[in-house]
Amino acid sequence: MNVIKIKDRQELDKKVPLMPWYVEKFINFKLPDLSPSSLLEYVRDYDTFFSYLLAEGLAAGPAIKDVKLEELEKLHMDSIDSFRMFLMTRTEHTNLRVSVTRKLSSLRSLFHYLSQIAEDEQFYPLLKRNVMAKVSIKRTSKPKDTAAKLEGKLLQEEEIAAFLSYVERDYEQDVAKNKQALYSYQLNKIRDACIISLILHSGLRVSEVVNLNVDDIDLKKKLSYVFRKGKNDDTFKTPVYFRQEAVNNLSQYMQLRDMSYHAPKREKALFLAIANGKKEGSRMTKRAIQEMVVKYAKRFGKPYLSVHKLRHSFATDYYLRNDIYKTQEQLGHASPETTQIYAHLTDRTMAEAIDHTND
């Protein structure tokens, strides 16, 4: 099992006992079919929902664990609409609508299970009334709509090299007067450039990068071996190619990995960080990589650029040189429909290129 799934399973095991008994029943029902990571997201969504019920006096409590089925049965549509508005206003998030939809979908799954599948000792549904069955949830946007949202927020071909150059060299000038930022950059710039280069020249997901071990990289064949999202078989890794441009960055980083991050022999992770108060490096977290990319992107003048948009940037460039099926395989998409967003993105890219030639 990959590293993230192991950590998420441990976190799931900690959080489930804090939930009402029927949530634990639901999680156990779903466990054979869904990954620990997906189920952990469910539980986090339920934590938000039950906390809201307690705060609004819609459940007596006193704790989340004490929320009763009868209290769920008595919920009105007004309460669900108020919860939706609460989710929309509680935080500023670039993918807010997607996040709200996911949370409501999580609730729909739980309520459906309790009202249609789970039974009591008399063979009656555990939940007699399902208010979530009345809730309309807009599904994920079409590839064309997704492409429209991404337009102008990705790196074009010439910008990929410029961004990497900025991370490798030019960022230092921008933080020259900040001693703490300068120290951190000088310690980590080769590692950071390597991670960004690898994503921009392979399209790996951030979770796949986090899970990489030293032995998963084959520089001669330009291959990385990763656990692919959506594949339940954790015994085999999928080979994913990276471009020649990433080879130099990987070689440079791997030469200094052990010395710079004081890697213990037992640590297999490729990308390491030394936590505050620690002497030895350990596997970088998903959040650390995400925050690292945002840090450079803001200074570079691309505040909307995220680690996932680096993957989109690679995919758009890759699709221009290949076809939808090769792009689908490289990115590990389950369906070519997901890959179609790059067809729409490249249509715009080609149109822009033609405009420039006519200037």
Side-chain angles (χ1 to χ4, degrees), residues 82-340:
S82 296
F83 177 63
R84 191 200 300 262
M85 290 303 299
F86 164 75
L87 293 176
M88 293 292 290
T89 57
R90 70 192 291 258
T91 182
E92 293 183 6
H93 195 282
T94 54
N95 293 318
L96 181 59
R97 181 166 294 181
V98 174
S99 177
V100 171
T101 298
R102 182 180 58 76
K103 285 178 168 59
L104 293 176
S105 296
S106 296
L107 286 178
R108 284 256 298 230
S109 296
L110 174 63
F111 277 61
H112 175 79
Y113 166 77
L114 295 174
S115 63
Q116 300 295 323
I117 299 173
E119 300 174 336
D120 61 19
E121 294 178 355
Q122 283 74 46
F123 306 106
Y124 288 106
L126 289 181
L127 195 68
K128 309 301 188 292
R129 176 179 168 275
N130 178 7
V131 68
M132 289 303 299
K134 302 178 181 180
V135 177
S136 175
I137 301 176
K138 292 183 179 180
R139 294 299 170 188
T140 308
S141 57
K142 296 178 181 179
K144 187 176 181 180
D145 298 328
T146 303
K149 291 178 182 178
L150 290 172
E151 190 177 3
K153 297 179 181 179
L154 306 182
L155 296 173
Q156 302 302 324
E157 183 179 7
E158 66 281 359
E159 291 178 318
I160 290 175
F163 183 55
L164 276 171
S165 176
Y166 179 78
V167 175
E168 291 173 332
R169 289 179 291 276
D170 300 336
Y171 178 81
E172 185 168 9
Q173 298 175 9
D174 287 347
V175 296
K177 295 181 180 179
N178 186 328
K179 291 184 179 180
Q180 185 176 355
L182 185 61
Y183 173 79
S184 176
Y185 172 70
Q186 291 173 339
L187 175 66
N188 297 310
K189 65 178 180 179
I190 293 176
R191 180 203 65 187
D192 295 352
C194 181
I195 292 172
I196 291 172
S197 176
L198 181 60
I199 297 171
L200 281 171
H201 293 301
S202 69
L204 288 179
R205 297 178 176 91
V206 63
S207 59
E208 293 166 351
V209 173
V210 169
N211 277 306
L212 280 173
N213 292 331
V214 175
D215 294 340
D216 293 332
I217 298 295
D218 188 329
L219 292 176
K220 290 183 179 180
K221 294 181 179 179
K222 293 183 286 187
L223 282 175
S224 58
Y225 294 88
V226 302
F227 289 112
R228 272 301 192 194
K229 180 182 178 182
K231 294 189 177 181
N232 292 325
D233 188 353
D234 283 341
T235 59
F236 294 99
K237 293 185 176 183
T238 302
V240 180
Y241 285 94
F242 50 82
R243 291 171 172 163
Q244 179 64 38
E245 289 89 334
V247 173
N248 291 339
N249 294 99
L250 281 163
S251 299
Q252 194 175 8
Y253 169 72
M254 292 173 78
Q255 287 175 6
L256 61 80
R257 170 189 174 273
D258 294 352
M259 180 178 65
S260 294
Y261 295 94
H262 309 291
K265 291 183 178 180
R266 65 182 180 278
E267 182 56 78
K268 298 178 181 179
L270 176 61
F271 294 114
L272 304 176
I274 301 177
N276 290 334
K278 301 289 184 179
K279 295 182 179 179
E280 294 181 334
S282 58
R283 189 181 299 269
M284 282 189 79
T285 64
K286 181 178 176 180
R287 176 171 292 183
I289 293 177
Q290 290 170 329
E291 290 177 349
M292 178 266 289
V293 170
V294 169
K295 175 185 72 175
Y296 289 116
K298 286 182 177 179
R299 289 278 189 172
F300 183 67
K302 291 276 185 177
Y304 293 106
L305 192 62
S306 64
V307 66
H308 195 61
K309 288 186 176 69
L310 294 184
R311 172 173 155 88
H312 283 313
S313 297
F314 163 81
T316 304
D317 184 64
Y318 188 86
Y319 182 80
L320 278 168
R321 304 163 192 256
N322 295 279
D323 58 41
I324 193 168
Y325 299 106
K326 287 183 179 179
T327 307
Q328 177 190 353
E329 183 179 359
Q330 178 71 21
L331 297 175
H333 287 159
S335 166
E337 184 176 339
T338 308
T339 319
Q340 284 176 1

Side-chain angles (χ1 to χ4, degrees), residues 13-70:
D13 291 340
K14 290 179 182 178
K15 286 185 174 295
V16 166
L18 303 176
M19 293 284 111
W21 64 271
Y22 48 85
V23 172
E24 183 171 3
K25 189 177 179 69
F26 170 72
I27 295 299
N28 289 335
F29 173 75
K30 285 288 189 179
L31 197 54
D33 301 317
L34 295 179
S35 71
S37 303
S38 297
L39 291 173
L40 181 59
E41 289 300 320
Y42 273 121
V43 170
R44 286 170 176 161
D45 293 340
Y46 301 150
D47 182 86
T48 301
F49 178 65
F50 292 134
S51 296
Y52 175 82
L53 296 184
L54 293 172
E56 294 296 315
L58 297 171
I64 286 174
K65 190 174 183 178
D66 302 314
V67 176
K68 298 179 176 60
L69 282 168
E70 292 81 4

